[in-house]
Amino acid sequence: MYPLPRPLAAIPALLCAGALLLTATGCGTDSHPTGSRATGSADTADPSGKGTPPKGPAGSLTWQFEHIADFSGELTDVAVLAKDDIWAVGTENNGESNAHLLHYDGTQWKRKPLPEALGTTDYPPLLEEVGEEALWLRPQPDEEGTAVNPWARWDGTRWSAVPSPPPGKVRDFEAAGPDDIWALDGEHTAQHWDGTHWAVTRLPYPASDLAVVGPDDVWAVGSRSTGPGTELSYGERYSQPASMHWDGTSWKPVETPQARFEEPIPPEPSAGLGQVFALDSGEVRAYGNNTFNHGEVDNEPADEYIRLRWNGSKWVEQEHAPGGCTLRTPVGQDDEGLFLDGNWYLTDDGRCMKIKHHRLPLSTGARKGSNQSLWLKEIHRVPGTDEWLGAGQVEVSQSGDPFGAPVVVRLKRGG
């Protein structure tokens, strides 16, 4: 899909700096993916203000509004246990740090109180699907992140306390099932839950992301500051991409292609991987970049984007993806292709499609001439169906009264 030319090609900064995971906006420009799941892009909705979805040919994709919350703000997370059991977390633009918890029971959306089992939190909690029938709600930890924070568990009927949440500052959480959970709680440590206890494991390099392929088959990616390619002639370090694999007994370092700018090397260079993604087929892909401290020299090179694929024995370059999918990173997969950040979709046969969206109804206060940007934080498949839901906000830019509308959207296929 995505190229890693030899040597790494500098890809121009084509798209505007965006914000979050999946977007569609009226500014008409896109942001750069950095290997993180928190990047986005933009496109322009029809400014007519009619609130109807844009028409498209058969095979087109469109996000349509499923729910528009009654406050100004955004939805920061969503989890879908069933078509009649959907949860979302949101924040309101009122100067307060408190979060809203929303639930859909198959008939209507209702605001719910945060579970007492969660305790108090200054930031919006995070929803984590654990298996097909359980949902965990965890707090975002403070900067120290050393204490054991209370977590809450939804079993389909009620909330209760998670008996043994992982201690520390959990940065990434990946659940293959209720008895197979991985939590990245530091750059060098990951914890594994086997249904009875958390086991602490040591990572050979600092890690930023995890992906569970299957039992005893887990990948982590990040960067390293020692070893080949990390030393510069004047004593400065040049961090390099790093990957690690868990084989059921320990984490082992995996040889990962190096990245390096051509001479003269720009100031404070660093390269690393920020995201690892496991396809349903078991194939593993990794994403990152090679960058530096911009603004210190003239004639700066462009940042370089790293796209790798594990072929079963080594990392190789991904195949080039066409059009707007070139620099995008995956956020989901269905039976026909990959959902990419920035509201893009890459079909299995190599077609790149922009997922369209429609405008807010005028009753929300969004005027006909306003610019409207759809920013999605999460997307999830509705279990047992081929339907997908996303959650985030529509950012409305208009003179005198800009606002954000928290939304849940549903994917519509076809014209």
Side-chain angles (χ1 to χ4, degrees):
M1 287 181 17
Y2 308 94
L4 178 61
R6 294 181 187 160
L8 286 172
I11 302 176
L14 301 176
L15 313 172
C16 86
L20 299 168
L21 193 126
L22 306 166
T23 69
T25 165
C27 85
T29 55
D30 296 342
S31 74
H32 313 124
T34 61
S36 166
R37 286 187 278 185
T39 59
S41 71
D43 70 348
T44 303
D46 177 9
S48 66
K50 296 179 180 179
T52 57
K55 294 182 179 180
S60 65
L61 301 173
T62 305
W63 289 117
Q64 295 189 342
F65 294 126
E66 181 78 4
H67 176 65
I68 304 172
D70 60 355
F71 57 89
S72 176
E74 65 175 337
L75 298 183
T76 57
D77 207 354
V78 66
V80 185
L81 290 180
K83 60 182 181 181
D84 58 355
D85 194 3
I86 304 171
W87 291 88
V89 173
T91 57
E92 187 170 356
N93 294 332
N94 59 1
E96 302 291 335
S97 60
N98 60 301
H100 298 312
L101 183 63
L102 307 177
H103 183 238
Y104 179 71
D105 62 3
T107 60
Q108 61 181 329
W109 285 89
K110 290 183 179 180
R111 191 178 301 185
K112 299 288 186 178
L114 290 173
E116 293 183 4
L118 185 65
T120 58
T121 176
D122 293 331
Y123 304 100
L126 302 172
L127 294 163
E128 304 288 1
E129 297 176 22
V130 180
E132 297 181 354
E133 299 179 355
L135 177 68
W136 288 8
L137 187 63
R138 65 181 177 97
Q140 294 193 45
D142 55 25
E143 290 300 321
E144 290 76 17
T146 56
V148 176
N149 298 304
W151 295 30
R153 178 183 186 274
W154 173 257
D155 61 6
T157 304
R158 65 184 183 90
W159 289 99
S160 60
V162 173
S164 181
K169 184 178 180 178
V170 174
R171 298 165 51 234
D172 187 29
F173 183 95
E174 302 292 338
D179 299 331
D180 188 8
I181 302 172
W182 283 91
L184 186 64
D185 67 341
E187 289 189 338
H188 282 283
T189 57
Q191 301 186 54
H192 180 247
W193 174 259
D194 63 2
T196 61
H197 72 286
W198 291 98
V200 178
T201 64
R202 181 75 177 175
L203 296 159
Y205 301 121
S208 56
D209 196 28
L210 293 171
V212 179
V213 182
D216 301 332
D217 187 4
V218 186
W219 286 86
V221 297
S223 62
R224 57 181 175 84
S225 58
T226 59
T230 62
E231 295 184 0
L232 297 176
S233 58
Y234 42 89
E236 189 176 355
R237 290 288 179 179
Y238 193 154
S239 63
Q240 290 295 319
S243 60
M244 301 141 273
H245 182 255
W246 173 263
D247 60 6
T249 58
S250 64
W251 288 99
K252 294 180 174 61
V254 177
E255 184 177 353
T256 309
Q258 297 177 32
R260 193 178 185 89
F261 290 106
E262 294 182 358
E263 297 287 348
I265 294 177
E268 302 177 35
S270 63
L273 298 173
Q275 181 185 355
V276 59
F277 188 87
L279 302 182
D280 293 342
S281 64
E283 181 180 296
V284 178
R285 300 181 181 182
Y287 304 84
N289 65 3
N290 182 29
T291 187
F292 61 96
N293 186 15
H294 291 266
E296 293 192 12
V297 296
D298 297 328
N299 301 320
E300 292 184 342
D303 286 348
E304 300 172 348
Y305 297 90
I306 303 171
R307 302 292 184 261
L308 300 174
R309 174 178 63 85
W310 182 254
N311 70 359
S313 60
K314 64 180 180 179
W315 289 109
V316 297
E317 301 168 9
Q318 293 184 26
E319 295 179 1
H320 180 78
C325 295
T326 301
L327 299 182
R328 298 295 156 191
T329 58
V331 296
Q333 181 181 11
D334 67 1
D335 297 336
E336 299 179 7
L338 290 174
F339 293 93
L340 307 179
D341 70 306
N343 288 329
W344 291 90
Y345 184 84
L346 182 64
T347 66
D348 289 337
D349 60 6
R351 290 179 297 119
C352 179
M353 305 169 60
K354 183 67 177 180
I355 305 178
K356 302 175 183 178
H357 68 98
H358 60 106
R359 295 172 60 85
L360 292 169
L362 298 178
S363 59
T364 63
R367 296 196 289 269
K368 288 183 178 181
S370 63
N371 289 325
Q372 299 184 19
S373 310
L374 175 63
W375 304 86
L376 297 182
K377 288 293 191 69
E378 288 279 340
I379 66 169
H380 289 280
R381 186 200 293 262
V382 179
T385 75
D386 62 354
E387 297 184 351
W388 285 75
L389 295 179
Q393 74 165 167
V394 174
E395 186 179 79
V396 180
S397 298
Q398 57 188 11
S399 60
D401 188 24
F403 67 95
V407 297
V408 178
V409 293
R410 183 181 296 271
L411 187 70
K412 181 181 179 182
R413 304 174 190 268

